[in-house]
Amino acid sequence: MLEMIDNRECVKSGTLNQLILHLTSMDSQNAISGSDFFQTFMITLQTFTEPQNFVDKMIERFKIPPMPENELSRPYEELKFAVQFRVCSVL
């Protein structure tokens, strides 16, 4: 759940999958180690999941399935690379 605070989008709650999506989304700066979300996420991580579960979910997120050959498009490949890069940045 997102909430606006001081004209900024702030995460109030979410499932582990939703938080990881937010952390690694292409249009977000949340994977950068200096961001408030990243720091809060990493500090509180062990209060809502086991470290191994987090790593497993990040590996899942990294393994974006390829598009069918007839639908291969550059934007998809750019998105895939950006998400995978963010996953690596977090880990």
Side-chain angles (χ1 to χ4, degrees), residues 21-38:
L21 285 173
H22 188 71
L23 185 66
T24 60
S25 67
M26 187 172 123
D27 59 339
S28 172
Q29 294 297 312
N30 294 316
I32 298 171
S33 61
S35 78
D36 290 342
F37 178 77
F38 177 85

Side-chain angles (χ1 to χ4, degrees), residues 15-16 18-20 23 30 35-49 54 58 90:
T15 65
L16 179 58
Q18 290 170 329
L19 294 172
I20 287 173
L23 185 66
N30 294 316
S35 78
D36 290 342
F37 178 77
F38 177 85
Q39 290 180 359
T40 302
F41 182 88
M42 296 309 285
I43 289 169
T44 62
L45 177 66
Q46 292 188 31
T47 65
F48 57 87
T49 191
F54 169 69
M58 292 297 284
V90 169

Side-chain angles (χ1 to χ4, degrees), residues 59-76:
I59 291 169
E60 247 179 65
R61 179 73 170 137
F62 185 86
K63 293 180 178 178
I64 299 171
M67 287 188 71
E69 284 185 36
N70 59 345
E71 295 182 29
L72 193 58
S73 69
R74 183 174 177 171
Y76 177 81

Side-chain angles (χ1 to χ4, degrees), residues 53 76 79 86:
N53 189 35
Y76 177 81
L79 170 68
R86 289 191 182 274

